[in-house]
Amino acid sequence: MWRHPGKAADSYYEVKPECTSDVPKSKFKIKSGKTLSARKWNAAFTPQGQLDITKVLGRIQRAGIHPSIRGQVWEFLLGCYDPQTTFEERHQARERRRVQYARWKDECRQMFPIVGSGKLITAPVITEHGQPIHDPLVHLETNQGANNPDTLDIVKEITSRAPLDKKVIQWMLTLHQIGLDVIRTDRTLVFYEKQENLSKLWDILAVYAWIDTDIGYCQGMSDLCSPMIILLENEADAFWCFERLMRRLRGNFRCTERSVGVETQLRNLASITQVINPKLHQHLEALGGGDYLFAFRMLMVLFRREFSFCDSIYLWEMMWALEYDPDLFLIYEEPNAAGEKPEGSKGKAKSIRQCGKYERENMKNRGNDTEAPLPISVFLVASVLKDKSATLLTEARGLDDVVKILNDITGNLDAKKACSGAMKLHKKYLKQAKRNGAT
């Protein structure tokens, strides 16, 4: 069952031969008896299909998930399914979601027929005033082969029906930006040599941009969505995993005229560093980096650029297992029902054993505090800064130096050690915060 026990799992995510020298080797090892295997995963279900999540969280936190079952495990970690549901209940839920995705995708296809066509665009097709643009690049991208209608004719036909709604114009303006990002995403992987996989990623992001009217599409989302379509063969299933991940992260992408959503987490990072490493915080402030914008990318795309593809998804699943909250499904699926429950209650009391280690620590320290706990990703960045603090203090003479030092960590980080360091800092921060609150 185990392929090369104790060996790196790179072979599951094949890199193009010409890119192998540029891609860092994975540090994730598939370890027999430690990494969550298909056998251990299947053994955690009752005959009816209820999952004993406590049997798998520890393994994931310690040694990750075997690549052969990663997609199906992620669906639970991200809150797509309630562990207490049966096989039949999940089958019905999956079918409902697939139908819903198909409806949304068809809605998008009616507005712009390139959606679902197996193609994508990387040049604008419409102006801000809803007028068609004829770009030769779009013609080349979308009109290969016989019987393909000209894209300009499609846009002209769409705009001739009636003045386009502002929401439709805004959505169509994002489609080429999605395309530009898609062709740059994980381009070292053999998986994306196939046009159908590029177009699948473009389709999912185009549909998401249409249904999330508040956020739409922003750069960085393609990095977050890409692992979903690699791990989950069905496009609709991949979409829903991405949608659940965005429930956690969409606040980072919310922009106003004055701020970007991730700035809240950057301020939290500054507060944490000030508490656990005041000398480094003072040094960064003196260099003009007190806003911590140098950590922007790490938080926006969850370390996708700092780790190899294989190690970044290993990091994600450890984070999600550590943060796991059994109420996730209810919060996402029935937000109104959750909101109607008595204050301080989310329904039946959850067992602390069903929670990830990080969530358990938060539960123990939360008390009557109603504020949402900080995500573990903030402590991961704080852990990286702590490990690099000696170098930052002695070698950083300006913000360019800070960025260079942090860029040098790419490919040199160990995901498991990073999570372990984040947990230690989290505990230290909670103790310090409690001590400060008592004084």
Side-chain angles (χ1 to χ4, degrees), residues 109-113 154 156-164:
R109 188 185 298 113
Q110 295 297 320
M111 293 184 290
F112 191 61
I154 291 173
K156 280 182 176 177
E157 196 275 326
I158 293 168
T159 55
S160 67
R161 298 173 194 166
L164 290 178

Side-chain angles (χ1 to χ4, degrees), residues 13-65:
Y13 313 107
E14 192 179 353
V15 173
K16 297 175 186 177
E18 65 271 23
C19 300
T20 51
S21 60
D22 301 323
V23 176
K25 293 292 183 185
S26 172
K27 292 180 173 61
F28 171 50
K29 306 287 185 183
I30 301 174
K31 297 180 180 177
S32 179
K34 294 183 179 181
T35 301
L36 179 64
S37 66
R39 184 176 66 84
K40 288 291 185 182
W41 172 246
N42 292 328
F45 289 91
T46 68
Q48 293 73 37
Q50 289 96 346
L51 170 66
D52 185 352
I53 198 76
T54 60
K55 288 185 177 180
V56 300
L57 286 179
R59 282 185 179 272
I60 301 170
Q61 290 165 187
R62 290 190 297 272
I65 303 167

